[in-house]
Amino acid sequence: MIHRGDLTVSTRGRGTYDITRDVRDVVAKSRAREGLATVWIHHTSASLIVTENADPSVRKDLDAFMARLVPDGDQLFTHTAEGDDDMPAHVRSVLTQTSIGIPIADGKLVLGTWQGLYLWEHRAIAHDRRVTVTVIGE
Amino acid sequence: MIHRGDLTVSTRGRGTYDITRDVRDVVAKSRAREGLATVWIHHTSASLIVTENADPSVRKDLDAFMARLVPDGDQLFTHTAEGDDDMPAHVRSVLTQTSIGIPIADGKLVLGTWQGLYLWEHRAIAHDRRVTVTVIGE
Amino acid sequence: MIHRGDLTVSTRGRGTYDITRDVRDVVAKSRAREGLATVWIHHTSASLIVTENADPSVRKDLDAFMARLVPDGDQLFTHTAEGDDDMPAHVRSVLTQTSIGIPIADGKLVLGTWQGLYLWEHRAIAHDRRVTVTVIGE
């Protein structure tokens, strides 16, 4: 059985947005007991990560690390027409994930206790981001 | 239904190579209407990314960023027998993707308007690279 | 057909651990001839990579690179309660993979000659790490 669910995530600019519950909802709707949920983001300047969901300072530090590793306005970049944060957003995206496949067991996403699934908005300003969840199950 | 397609990508050395059309062709051949196409690269010194397909300067800047982050001939590296660009190619590969899972809807890959799928050759010289596309669909 | 296999990997602290054979065993048990094996790690301070399995210096250099890129005890980090290596472990995890999808053909994992699948422990001390392999096949 294959089930597809589409999400729109309205971001308020750069930062991480927890989409774990939305993906769980797609899995519940699919009625799959066993299988795989593959999450896909339709963009090249926002991406997906799985990281700790307990202490928000983890995600703050992740963003601080990326801001230092891939500085906005870096003179290295030539693709600058869309702003100082555009090319860094593409770099941050290729360094993280465009798709993530999560197991389903007994009708539920198999996530570790501290694992959350996040959309990471890399552009400075707000965007509506599209995500597709493909459930393959039985 | 499971369908497998194998591609060979002949690179001309370091840089990105658009394989979107080749993957689309495998999906068309599979006749899947709904499902998932998972792309896999058989190498550890070339990798996969999804990035903007409109302005070629994006991919030029991605490569410039990686060349600065993981310099060829870096004194840190001890695995140097195969050349200055060999260990950097392994690092670049683990920082990007070995596999990417893309949804299929209505018989087509679900790619955002500006998304292209690229094989990233990280070695300096030309290589023949193998890619396998696994379509799971109905 | 969907088959799930769970692994526990007991690490001895930071470093890479070859799990290729364990994943092969799950695929063999599934009896799938064609399909996809998606490997998932249940943690946010250990991750998955595919890299060269011939010369161990490759993995030593990968760790040296990461140790320089994301230094333990970096003053940038505020999430430090669990130790100097905790936040670097989260960063290393998002820069590598939480899930990897490997094709199955003729009942076997389709791995290139030099490809090995590794669990990368990013914490300094020993941990028991959980991995789930989801086989979708026929």
Side-chain angles (χ1 to χ4, degrees):
Chain A
M1 170 266 292
I2 291 165
H3 175 87
R4 182 160 37 89
D6 291 302
L7 313 173
T8 300
V9 181
S10 298
T11 74
R12 299 171 301 280
R14 188 169 280 175
T16 50
Y17 298 83
D18 193 336
I19 61 170
T20 314
R21 185 171 301 179
D22 303 292
V23 175
R24 280 194 210 284
D25 288 349
V26 174
V27 171
K29 233 178 227 170
S30 78
R31 305 207 172 181
R33 301 301 303 167
E34 300 290 322
L36 187 76
T38 302
V39 187
W40 166 260
I41 188 162
H42 296 228
H43 306 278
T44 65
S45 56
S47 62
L48 303 170
I49 56 166
V50 172
T51 196
E52 196 197 283
N53 59 10
D55 181 352
S57 68
V58 169
R59 274 123 53 212
K60 221 189 65 180
D61 286 356
L62 286 177
D63 212 85
F65 177 84
M66 275 294 196
R68 187 178 68 184
L69 184 67
V70 197
D72 288 346
D74 193 316
Q75 295 299 312
L76 180 73
F77 298 133
T78 64
H79 176 81
T80 55
E82 295 169 56
D84 269 6
D85 61 318
D86 182 43
M87 194 57 223
H90 292 309
V91 174
R92 286 158 160 251
S93 293
V94 304
L95 292 177
T96 50
Q97 318 296 309
T98 307
S99 75
I100 295 181
I102 310 172
I104 300 166
D106 301 321
K108 288 179 184 165
L109 276 183
V110 178
L111 286 171
T113 318
W114 312 110
Q115 284 185 309
L117 177 64
Y118 294 88
L119 184 151
W120 198 345
E121 172 65 72
H122 300 301
R123 297 302 307 268
I125 65 164
H127 282 79
D128 283 345
R129 298 302 196 174
R130 292 184 58 211
V131 169
T132 292
V133 184
T134 307
V135 176
I136 302 174
E138 61 186 19
Chain B
M1 169 267 292
I2 291 166
H3 174 88
R4 183 160 36 88
D6 290 303
L7 314 173
T8 300
V9 181
S10 299
T11 74
R12 299 171 301 279
R14 188 168 280 175
T16 51
Y17 298 83
D18 193 337
I19 60 171
T20 314
R21 184 170 301 178
D22 304 292
V23 176
R24 280 194 210 284
D25 287 349
V26 174
V27 171
K29 233 178 227 172
S30 78
R31 304 209 173 181
R33 302 300 303 166
E34 300 289 322
L36 188 75
T38 301
V39 187
W40 167 260
I41 188 162
H42 295 229
H43 307 277
T44 66
S45 56
S47 61
L48 303 170
I49 57 166
V50 172
T51 196
E52 196 197 283
N53 59 11
D55 181 353
S57 68
V58 169
R59 275 124 51 212
K60 220 189 65 181
D61 286 356
L62 286 177
D63 212 85
F65 177 84
M66 275 296 196
R68 189 179 67 185
L69 184 67
V70 198
D72 288 346
D74 194 316
Q75 295 298 313
L76 181 73
F77 299 133
T78 65
H79 177 80
T80 54
E82 294 169 58
D84 269 5
D85 61 318
D86 182 42
M87 194 58 222
H90 293 308
V91 174
R92 286 158 160 252
S93 293
V94 304
L95 292 177
T96 50
Q97 319 295 307
T98 306
S99 74
I100 295 182
I102 310 172
I104 299 166
D106 300 322
K108 287 180 184 165
L109 277 183
V110 178
L111 286 171
T113 318
W114 312 112
Q115 283 184 310
L117 177 63
Y118 294 88
L119 184 151
W120 198 345
E121 172 65 70
H122 299 302
R123 297 302 307 268
I125 64 162
H127 281 80
D128 282 345
R129 300 302 196 173
R130 290 184 59 211
V131 169
T132 293
V133 184
T134 307
V135 176
I136 302 174
E138 61 187 18
Chain C
M1 171 266 291
I2 291 166
H3 175 87
R4 184 160 36 88
D6 290 303
L7 313 174
T8 300
V9 181
S10 298
T11 75
R12 299 171 300 281
R14 189 169 278 175
T16 51
Y17 299 83
D18 193 337
I19 60 170
T20 315
R21 185 171 300 179
D22 304 292
V23 175
R24 280 193 209 283
D25 288 348
V26 174
V27 171
K29 234 179 226 171
S30 78
R31 304 208 173 181
R33 301 300 304 167
E34 300 288 322
L36 187 75
T38 302
V39 187
W40 167 260
I41 188 163
H42 295 229
H43 307 277
T44 65
S45 56
S47 61
L48 303 171
I49 57 166
V50 172
T51 196
E52 196 198 283
N53 59 10
D55 181 353
S57 69
V58 169
R59 274 123 52 212
K60 220 189 65 180
D61 285 356
L62 285 178
D63 212 86
F65 178 83
M66 275 296 196
R68 188 178 68 182
L69 184 66
V70 197
D72 288 346
D74 193 316
Q75 295 299 312
L76 180 73
F77 298 134
T78 65
H79 177 81
T80 55
E82 294 169 57
D84 269 7
D85 61 318
D86 182 43
M87 194 57 222
H90 292 309
V91 174
R92 286 158 159 253
S93 293
V94 303
L95 292 177
T96 50
Q97 319 296 308
T98 307
S99 74
I100 295 181
I102 310 173
I104 300 167
D106 301 321
K108 289 182 183 164
L109 276 183
V110 178
L111 285 171
T113 318
W114 312 111
Q115 284 185 309
L117 177 63
Y118 294 88
L119 184 151
W120 199 345
E121 172 65 72
H122 299 301
R123 296 302 306 268
I125 65 162
H127 282 78
D128 283 345
R129 299 302 196 173
R130 291 185 57 212
V131 169
T132 293
V133 184
T134 306
V135 177
I136 302 174
E138 62 186 19

